[in-house]
Amino acid sequence: MNKVTTKQRPGTQIKANALWEGSCTPAAARTAAGLFLAEDAPDLAFEGAIRRMTLPPPFPNTIIVLSEMGSELPGVKVFGYPDSSSAKLLAAALEVPVESVPRPLVTQVSRRPTEAFDIDMLLSNLRETPNIVLQGPPGTGKSSLVLALIRSLAETEAMTAEECRFGRLVAESGGDVDSFLKDASACQVPPVIWEFVQLHPGYAYDDLVRKVVPRTKDGVMHLRTEDSLLPRLCKLAEMRPDKPVILVLDEINRGNLAAILGEFVFAIDPGHRGAKVRLQYQGLGLAPAVSVPENLWIVGTMNTADRSIAMVDYAVRRRFRFLEVPASPTIVDQYYGSDSAEATVARKLFDECNLGLPSRLQIGHAAFLEDAEPSVSWPARMARKVVYNVFPLLSEYVKEGLRDVGPVSFNDEKYALDGQRAAALALTSSIRGMLASPQ
């Protein structure tokens, strides 16, 4: 047993943390059990236990409340989730029923460190170097992680991420980018300004840096040179040097990033931020040379399982810090609650589907996260998600010699990667049987 630390609220209760497996404070990992000692007013302790367990994780899976501390036989209540094995064991040992508490659902990326990654770690890395690429197999939450970082920065000034998006800010100012960039006061308001770009094989230098476009004036067509997104964000960052501007480049290995960036391959280098580069297209009213400020953060995402597109150019790679976001069974446990029956099923499916796969090709944890409510339909929904989303990818891996194992094993049964309808029905039955069996 670990050392118990107490927090006393005069006249109400003592909350004892760090019991058994850790603390039940909001900044700590979910624990097996927490303890409330009620000196008086036990109802407040009961309410506090329920409130603590119905908030999103991290919080304990079960809480023991001890009241009537002055008597020889103190009162005992055990609060736990309906599917919590630890709550059942504690209640049985103490010979009391479990006070059932609905299990909360995890819907957002946790700020707490996991074996995968978290937004605090991403923010720390961006403060050290302004160019980051999050790489890992699909379904590991790379894009969600970047958006969670943006949300956290926006919330420091009680704003939403969408209210801080560059495109929306321009639209709300009348739709003219140049007018918005001349309004210094408007540019200073948001705590962060960001924009999201999805790269693909057709994305080019013209789309991100500078382009020549046809325009008609007085019935006569002429060519005009215009800045695209990146130079505009550079100008914006110069106007607000103490606040970040974030450019998200999603799926960077689906486009030719060296060709898309052009001269900016040099300008974005952390060692050359502030150095101006002359752009290949020049035009009236445009700056002939542009520099990238320190506070313009570029965050890319890259799927390591994407084999149809060539690797990122080495010259570009040297300018970025690459951070791994792996498929994480820990996040599967966190989503359902580590001691729940659903977590046991989902974790086993995660392990079996990823059996023998290298980390770059593994199936991301998002493929095994399915809303546990309503519980009666969860086995069928989980089975369909695995069979129709995961099995086709595993089948391709087998054809390409990337996966040595053919069928997926689960609960002492083997499921062929083809014949989806039969596999979904059989897997549903197996999951129901596993949930019904005692843990």
Side-chain angles (χ1 to χ4, degrees):
M1 183 179 294
N2 296 335
K3 181 180 179 181
V4 177
T5 59
T6 63
K7 297 179 181 178
Q8 186 167 2
R9 189 175 298 165
T12 55
Q13 58 183 295
I14 296 175
K15 295 180 289 184
N17 295 334
L19 184 62
W20 289 299
E21 292 190 4
S23 170
C24 57
T25 60
R30 176 183 287 279
T31 63
L35 176 66
F36 278 29
L37 305 176
E39 290 185 310
D40 50 41
D43 288 347
L44 290 176
F46 301 156
E47 293 174 6
I50 294 171
R51 183 173 63 253
R52 183 174 292 278
M53 294 184 67
T54 52
L55 293 172
F59 288 104
N61 283 310
T62 183
I63 291 179
I64 303 170
V65 179
L66 300 180
S67 58
E68 302 174 24
M69 301 302 296
S71 64
E72 293 183 2
L73 296 174
V76 179
K77 279 186 178 288
V78 174
F79 294 86
Y81 303 125
D83 55 359
S84 172
S85 58
S86 61
K88 294 173 184 175
L89 290 171
L90 283 168
L94 296 168
E95 298 182 346
V96 296
V98 175
E99 304 289 335
S100 183
V101 177
R103 182 183 288 279
L105 295 177
V106 179
T107 56
Q108 294 185 359
V109 176
S110 172
R111 291 188 63 90
R112 170 165 55 88
T114 68
E115 66 179 82
F117 218 76
D118 77 347
I119 60 176
D120 292 323
M121 295 171 67
L122 175 56
L123 182 59
S124 296
N125 276 277
L126 282 167
R127 284 172 173 162
E128 294 173 2
T129 181
N131 303 328
I132 297 289
V133 170
L134 300 175
Q135 64 176 4
T140 54
K142 298 179 292 296
S143 300
S144 297
L145 180 58
V146 182
L147 295 177
L149 169 65
I150 293 168
R151 282 197 301 271
S152 71
L153 294 173
E155 288 167 0
T156 60
E157 298 292 338
M159 297 184 71
T160 66
E162 190 58 32
E163 288 174 326
C164 298
R165 189 164 184 169
F166 181 65
R168 174 168 174 167
L169 292 168
V170 171
E172 289 179 346
S173 69
D176 183 70
V177 179
D178 294 330
S179 297
F180 174 74
L181 292 176
K182 291 176 182 177
D183 188 347
S185 59
C187 294
Q188 290 292 332
V189 172
V192 59
I193 297 179
W194 66 284
E195 193 51 80
F196 187 98
V197 173
Q198 177 92 55
L199 298 189
H200 52 77
Y203 209 85
Y205 178 91
D206 292 3
D207 300 303
L208 189 67
V209 180
R210 190 169 278 183
K211 57 192 173 185
V212 178
V213 295
R215 290 286 184 261
T216 302
K217 184 177 182 180
D218 299 329
V220 178
M221 189 184 75
H222 63 281
L223 298 178
R224 178 180 172 183
T225 305
E226 295 180 355
D227 277 336
S228 296
L229 179 62
L230 185 51
R232 287 168 171 170
L233 291 183
C234 289
K235 183 175 180 179
L236 177 63
E238 288 177 354
M239 298 174 64
R240 36 181 287 132
D242 298 325
K243 296 181 179 180
V245 175
I246 302 177
L247 172 61
V248 183
L249 299 177
D250 201 39
E251 305 277 8
I252 66 165
N253 54 325
R254 296 193 64 239
N256 185 345
L257 193 56
I260 293 170
L261 288 171
E263 304 86 358
F264 276 94
V265 170
F266 172 82
I268 67 170
D269 190 308
H272 298 289
R273 288 293 181 106
K276 291 191 174 184
V277 291
R278 186 176 177 83
L279 303 187
Q280 62 175 314
Y281 300 148
Q282 300 295 316
L284 184 64
L286 298 179
V290 178
S291 64
V292 181
E294 292 281 354
N295 61 318
L296 176 57
W297 296 348
I298 302 176
V299 184
T301 69
M302 185 173 78
N303 281 336
T304 52
D306 194 342
R307 302 173 306 285
S308 62
I309 307 297
M311 292 293 289
V312 174
D313 184 283
Y314 285 128
V316 175
R317 181 176 285 273
R318 289 195 298 271
R319 269 75 181 183
F320 285 84
R321 177 179 292 184
F322 283 72
L323 306 176
E324 291 286 345
V325 185
S328 171
T330 300
I331 293 180
V332 177
D333 287 341
Q334 290 174 354
Y335 183 84
Y336 298 103
S338 58
D339 70 338
S340 71
E342 287 84 359
T344 302
V345 169
R347 176 67 177 267
K348 188 172 180 60
L349 286 168
F350 175 93
D351 291 339
E352 293 297 336
C353 289
N354 283 313
L355 184 65
L357 291 178
S359 59
R360 68 182 180 86
L361 298 178
Q362 287 192 344
I363 309 300
H365 39 264
F368 305 92
L369 307 182
E370 181 66 28
D371 191 342
E373 296 295 336
S375 58
V376 67
S377 65
W378 185 81
R381 287 183 284 113
M382 173 57 80
R384 287 194 294 268
K385 190 168 188 176
V386 171
V387 169
Y388 295 120
N389 290 32
V390 177
F391 278 16
L393 180 57
L394 295 180
S395 182
E396 290 300 314
Y397 284 170
V398 171
K399 292 176 184 176
E400 297 180 21
L402 300 172
R403 177 181 164 92
D404 297 332
V405 183
V408 170
S409 298
F410 178 78
N411 209 17
D412 299 325
E413 299 288 339
K414 292 187 180 295
Y415 299 89
L417 298 178
D418 52 3
Q420 289 181 322
R421 180 175 174 77
L425 292 172
L427 185 57
T428 298
S429 177
S430 184
I431 292 174
R432 283 178 176 152
M434 190 170 177
L435 291 175
S437 62
Q439 296 187 43

